[in-house]
Amino acid sequence: SVSNLLISGEIMRDYHQFYINGEWVNPLQPNSFDVINPATETVCAQISLGSEKDIDLAVEAAKTAFQSFGKTSIKERLELLESCVEIYKKYYDDIADAIQEEMGAPSKLAQKSQAHTGLGHLQEAARVLESFEFEEDFGAHRVFKEPIGVCGLITPWNWPVNQIGCKVAPALAVGCTMILKPSEIAPLSAYIWTKVMHEAGVPAGVFNMVNGDGATTGTALSSHPDVDMMSFTGSTRAGSLVAQNAAPTVKRVTQELGGKSPNIILDDADLEAAVTGGLLHMYNNTGQSCNAPSRMLVPADKLAEAESIAKRVSEKVVVGDPTAEGVTMGPVVSDVQFDKIQTLIKKGIEEGAKLVCGGPDRPDECEIGYFIRPTVFSDANNDMTIAREEIFGPVLVMIPYQTEEEAIEIANDTPYGLAGYIQSGNIERARTVASRIRAGNVHINGASGGYDVPFGGFKQSGNGREWGSHGFTDYLEIKAVEGYAS
């Protein structure tokens, strides 16, 4: 199933095939697409973009497989997940290498964070399944939680295996069948994930993978009448289109979308620690995280000190070749993202925000690759474009505030509601502020949840929840049987 091809005199990954009904198959209509290594701007692989007919075949396989897989026992599915865990470990390094190649993640990030998420979600789904209650007793009546059926899964490029894992693992755990359409920008790790599913013994038709773009393959999947639910992670714009495509067939749609998350540094916080931690979190994954703390709200009388700290921290960030030792920040994923971020940086300057460090153009040492200068704007207001739009790059916006009440108002003044961050020396005060933030995940003093904590957003950041036991819910239907015990 895996072969190589020669492009420009070098051996590249040949990932043209799809995985349908337990077999690696050729596309019905070959449509080659180059995958670009963002650090070198060279072709590192080729895939094929799927057609509507490819999706039809995958959906039919999943629909047929659901007739038996939907009736499997907890024990059978638990053994399957445990097998997936063991095979994933075998391919762990390959997955990390693929993530580094397809989206430019530095070695430590690819190994310790990115690749680990796939393993973590499989392990967590198995842990939850061991004690998950699929039935509830209401005296004479019984409520059953049953698998929803055929699921369409569309995943993004920024945390590729994380988003695959947090969808596939719970779907398998509860007895659903599925079709995965990974991002065509970063499809390499998804291909290896599929090898894991195959070698782990996932029954034919239960897991299917078809590469493709949103306009053709994504639309075919989300509008397909035999798909019972869609789980989408990506931009708010694309998520809206998925929901519109799904509406005529009234299928369930769950979405994890964009964010413009506030990081409120209260006046009693350790400013050095708060600014440093917030900035390094922002720069993690080159700012390409939907829950990145991209708006730092700082007491006005501490803004100058915060700027100084931010500049010092930013200058220590090592940008460059993600395979090189000591590099802490790689490129953004594509030329499209690079151009978008450059435009927004220039917009911030035009609209009068103070440029503390960074700015437009590549870092001096990076002539090739989609590298962005670690950038901090300050003295911004919440009406500026850089404070409203999701930049999805290593660009932090500092916004001064006068009172705690004003900080909360600014934090919530956004169409998004994925995450929020509170820094304070008083835990009770932090909890009170957290209770007023309209977001699905609020982090106090840098705390971060594990694979068991639900992840998802309010408002235009989406609906539904992933991760842990809450992640099972999206893939279950509720059936009440009255008079069951009478």
Side-chain angles (χ1 to χ4, degrees):
S1 64
V2 179
S3 59
N4 295 317
L5 69 159
L6 196 66
I7 302 177
S8 302
E10 294 185 25
I11 300 297
M12 304 294 172
R13 299 175 191 246
D14 178 358
Y15 284 1
H16 281 88
Q17 289 187 313
F18 304 147
Y19 186 75
I20 298 175
N21 203 28
E23 296 181 336
W24 290 100
V25 300
N26 293 321
L28 295 176
Q29 301 171 350
N31 184 8
S32 289
F33 181 85
D34 291 341
V35 180
I36 306 299
N37 181 325
T40 62
E41 300 185 49
T42 59
V43 177
C44 63
Q46 279 189 343
I47 62 170
S48 188
L49 302 180
S51 66
E52 185 176 346
K53 292 181 179 179
D54 293 306
I55 290 295
D56 286 341
L57 288 177
V59 172
E60 181 60 33
K63 183 180 178 182
T64 300
F66 181 66
Q67 295 173 19
S68 56
F69 191 68
K71 297 181 176 66
T72 51
S73 67
I74 290 176
K75 181 176 182 293
E76 289 173 303
R77 298 195 302 275
L78 187 58
E79 289 175 350
L80 181 60
L81 284 170
E82 290 170 346
S83 177
C84 290
V85 166
E86 291 311 307
I87 301 300
Y88 190 99
K89 291 176 181 177
K90 170 184 170 183
Y91 282 100
Y92 191 102
D93 289 344
D94 293 337
I95 288 172
D97 289 345
I99 293 171
Q100 182 172 77
E101 192 171 352
E102 68 191 350
M103 52 110 28
S107 297
K108 184 178 179 180
L109 177 66
Q111 271 281 341
K112 303 296 185 183
S113 297
Q114 289 270 7
H116 190 273
T117 58
L119 179 62
H121 287 302
L122 288 169
Q123 291 173 324
E124 177 63 16
R127 186 193 68 80
V128 172
L129 183 58
E130 285 184 311
S131 58
F132 193 81
E133 296 291 339
F134 286 91
E135 297 181 17
E136 292 180 84
D137 188 352
F138 286 80
H141 319 299
R142 189 69 57 86
V143 172
F144 297 87
K145 299 173 184 178
E146 300 182 353
I148 194 168
V150 177
C151 304
L153 315 176
I154 298 179
T155 56
W157 47 259
N158 62 319
W159 284 88
V161 170
N162 175 68
Q163 295 306 134
I164 293 170
C166 71
K167 298 181 192 301
V168 173
L172 285 176
V174 304
C176 289
T177 60
M178 66 213 73
I179 304 93
L180 169 68
K181 190 208 85 65
S183 169
E184 70 276 22
I185 305 300
L188 310 184
S189 54
Y191 200 94
I192 302 172
W193 171 281
T194 302
K195 291 174 65 179
V196 172
M197 298 292 102
H198 181 75
E199 291 191 28
V202 174
V206 171
F207 173 88
N208 305 271
M209 189 278 291
V210 178
N211 277 312
D213 59 16
T216 299
T217 321
T219 296
L221 187 59
S222 57
S223 61
H224 202 291
D226 290 331
V227 171
D228 299 297
M229 73 88 72
M230 287 297 303
S231 178
F232 173 85
T233 299
S235 70
T236 298
R237 178 196 61 79
S240 176
L241 291 174
V242 168
Q244 291 174 54
N245 293 333
T249 51
V250 201
K251 58 172 60 71
R252 182 182 299 171
V253 178
T254 63
Q255 303 165 316
E256 196 264 282
L257 308 175
K260 194 68 180 177
S261 301
N263 183 5
I264 301 177
I265 299 178
L266 295 171
D267 57 15
D268 60 357
D270 179 333
L271 192 66
E272 179 81 30
V275 174
T276 299
L279 195 60
L280 292 178
H281 188 169
M282 181 66 227
Y283 289 156
N284 186 45
N285 206 39
T286 319
Q288 299 170 121
S289 298
C290 46
N291 63 340
S294 52
R295 290 184 297 147
M296 183 177 284
L297 279 54
V298 181
D301 60 357
K302 296 187 176 183
L303 188 61
E305 185 181 354
E307 291 173 359
S308 178
I309 296 168
K311 187 174 188 298
R312 186 171 68 250
V313 172
S314 298
E315 289 171 348
K316 293 180 181 178
V317 174
V318 182
V319 183
D321 178 359
T323 66
E325 188 174 348
V327 167
T328 58
M329 196 170 85
V332 293
V333 77
S334 67
D335 57 346
V336 173
Q337 287 300 118
F338 178 85
D339 292 343
K340 173 194 171 186
I341 295 164
Q342 291 295 323
T343 298
L344 285 167
I345 289 174
K346 292 171 184 175
K347 189 72 171 177
I349 294 171
E350 290 170 7
E351 292 186 351
K354 178 182 178 181
L355 184 63
V356 175
C357 59
D361 302 322
R362 289 175 172 84
D364 294 338
E365 62 276 17
C366 302
E367 296 181 3
I368 297 174
Y370 308 126
F371 295 96
I372 304 287
R373 296 173 184 269
T375 298
V376 175
F377 283 104
S378 184
D379 207 16
N381 65 65
N382 208 45
D383 294 325
M384 291 180 175
T385 303
I386 54 173
R388 307 300 300 179
E389 294 190 16
E390 186 177 35
I391 298 173
F392 228 59
V395 182
L396 179 77
V397 180
M398 285 184 168
I399 302 172
Y401 68 87
Q402 297 293 337
T403 66
E404 180 180 300
E405 188 66 29
E406 183 188 13
I408 294 169
E409 289 177 4
I410 293 171
N412 289 330
D413 180 19
T414 172
Y416 299 110
L418 187 56
Y421 301 81
I422 313 294
Q423 320 299 326
S424 175
N426 183 319
I427 188 62
E428 288 300 329
R429 184 184 182 191
R431 289 169 180 162
T432 299
V433 174
S435 71
R436 298 183 61 190
I437 301 302
R438 296 279 296 164
N441 296 80
V442 181
H443 307 259
I444 293 176
N445 291 334
S448 183
Y451 293 109
D452 57 336
V453 176
F455 187 87
F458 287 18
K459 300 187 281 186
Q460 291 185 29
S461 286
N463 52 65
R465 290 296 180 270
E466 297 181 317
W467 301 42
S469 59
H470 287 82
F472 279 35
T473 304
D474 289 345
Y475 300 94
L476 292 169
E477 285 283 24
I478 306 300
K479 177 189 287 183
V481 181
E482 288 86 355
Y484 185 86
S486 58

